[in-house]
Amino acid sequence: MKVVAVVNQKGGVAKTTTVANLGACLAERGKRTLLIDLDPQANLTVGMGVAWYELESALHTVLLDPETTPLRTILKPIADLPLELAPGHLDLAQTEAVLLPHADKAYRLRNALEALYTEETYDWVLIDCPPSLGTLTQNAIVAATHLLIPTEPKFYAFAGMDTLNKMIVALTKSLRFRVELLGVLVTMYERGTRLHATIAAEIRERFEDKVFETMIYKNVRVSESELEGVPIILYDRRASGAQNYEALAEEVLLRAAG
Ligand SMILES: Nc1ncnc2c1ncn2[C@@H]1O[C@H](COP(=O)(O)OP(=O)(O)OP(=O)(O)O)[C@@H](O)[C@H]1O
Ligand SMILES: [Mg+2]
């Protein structure tokens, strides 16, 4: 089982889009997949067609009181795929503050997942993080076996990844666990934009074979599918966004096998 935290403290770099669409592509390949929405914005939950505001319990209740609400009890099946979602909720923002004084604050998700694994098995667990390096993101990193870092080919990409890297090193040292970089993913790539080509090349120079060969091109169909509440492969399979995420799924499976 691979547990992948999709993380970048920069907002709007396609973390949520990647969790939703990579997850759907893995599930379509027969891999049993669980998506976890750890972001108070609950974009992933909405993007999967689940109304978080109608839910009595969601991830925030699990993190606060796992005895009363085990993770298993909040899971929602998605489409006709071996795909499930642990929905997020606006109240996750408060949860972060409530957890702060607790010694195990960064372990809540990991513990909840470990309890779930005693009953269920998954091939892939993908965790969507908020655009910050706070307690929620720490929960994701501590629960993860692997990290996937999406980034736009923009000037700020390098500074952001340095900060992220420092935080991960500090966290793994102080909490004594190991996590591996699955890969860096270039997203929102615009064909024919010289700046994007230049920066994508610089990202490859810096992170070498850790950068996925697949890049996700900018494609309005991706945003449309989110509005419709379905993954892009179920919305428009021929769209470049669908094909890019299919290719990413193949590459991820190869990397995980090797
Ligand atoms: N390949 C793409 N082509 C066009 N639009 C995209 C693509 N990927 C994502 N988007 C759009 O860009 C916006 C940001 O994407 P997304 O929400 O996945 O980023 P995020 O990193 O999760 O943001 P946040 O940090 O706020 O959680 C969304 O409106 C999404 O629909
Ligand atoms: Mg997001």
Side-chain angles (χ1 to χ4, degrees), residues 1-5 33-38 59 62-63 66 69-75 84-86 106-128 136 138-146:
M1 181 167 54
K2 305 278 192 285
V3 184
V4 183
T33 304
L34 172 63
L35 310 182
I36 297 187
D37 187 357
L38 206 53
L59 211 50
V62 175
L63 296 183
T69 318
L71 187 51
R72 163 180 55 77
T73 61
I74 67 158
L75 302 183
E84 284 169 87
L85 170 75
Y107 286 91
R108 296 291 177 104
L109 179 63
R110 185 188 178 122
N111 293 342
L113 279 167
E114 271 166 11
L116 177 69
Y117 302 153
T118 62
E119 298 171 51
E120 307 284 343
T121 51
Y122 295 92
D123 298 302
W124 290 88
V125 178
L126 306 183
I127 309 172
D128 187 21
L136 291 170
Q138 291 180 13
N139 267 275
I141 294 174
V142 169
T145 57
H146 292 80

Side-chain angles (χ1 to χ4, degrees), residues 225-242:
S225 74
E226 272 164 29
L227 273 180
E228 291 296 317
V230 291
I232 179 89
I233 51 168
L234 303 182
Y235 178 72
D236 181 356
R237 189 173 291 279
R238 285 177 310 172
S240 71

Side-chain angles (χ1 to χ4, degrees), residues 6 8-19 21 39 41 43 128-132 150 187-189 216-224 226-227 240-241 244-245:
V6 177
N8 190 330
Q9 73 273 28
K10 178 80 181 74
V13 296
K15 293 181 287 295
T16 302
T17 305
T18 298
V19 168
N21 292 298
D39 185 351
Q41 299 177 96
N43 291 339
D128 187 21
C129 294
S132 75
T187 61
M188 318 255 200
Y189 188 84
I216 310 297
Y217 286 79
K218 198 159 211 169
N219 176 209
V220 71
R221 305 293 272 167
V222 171
S223 304
E224 288 171 14
E226 272 164 29
L227 273 180
S240 71
N244 293 160
Y245 277 107

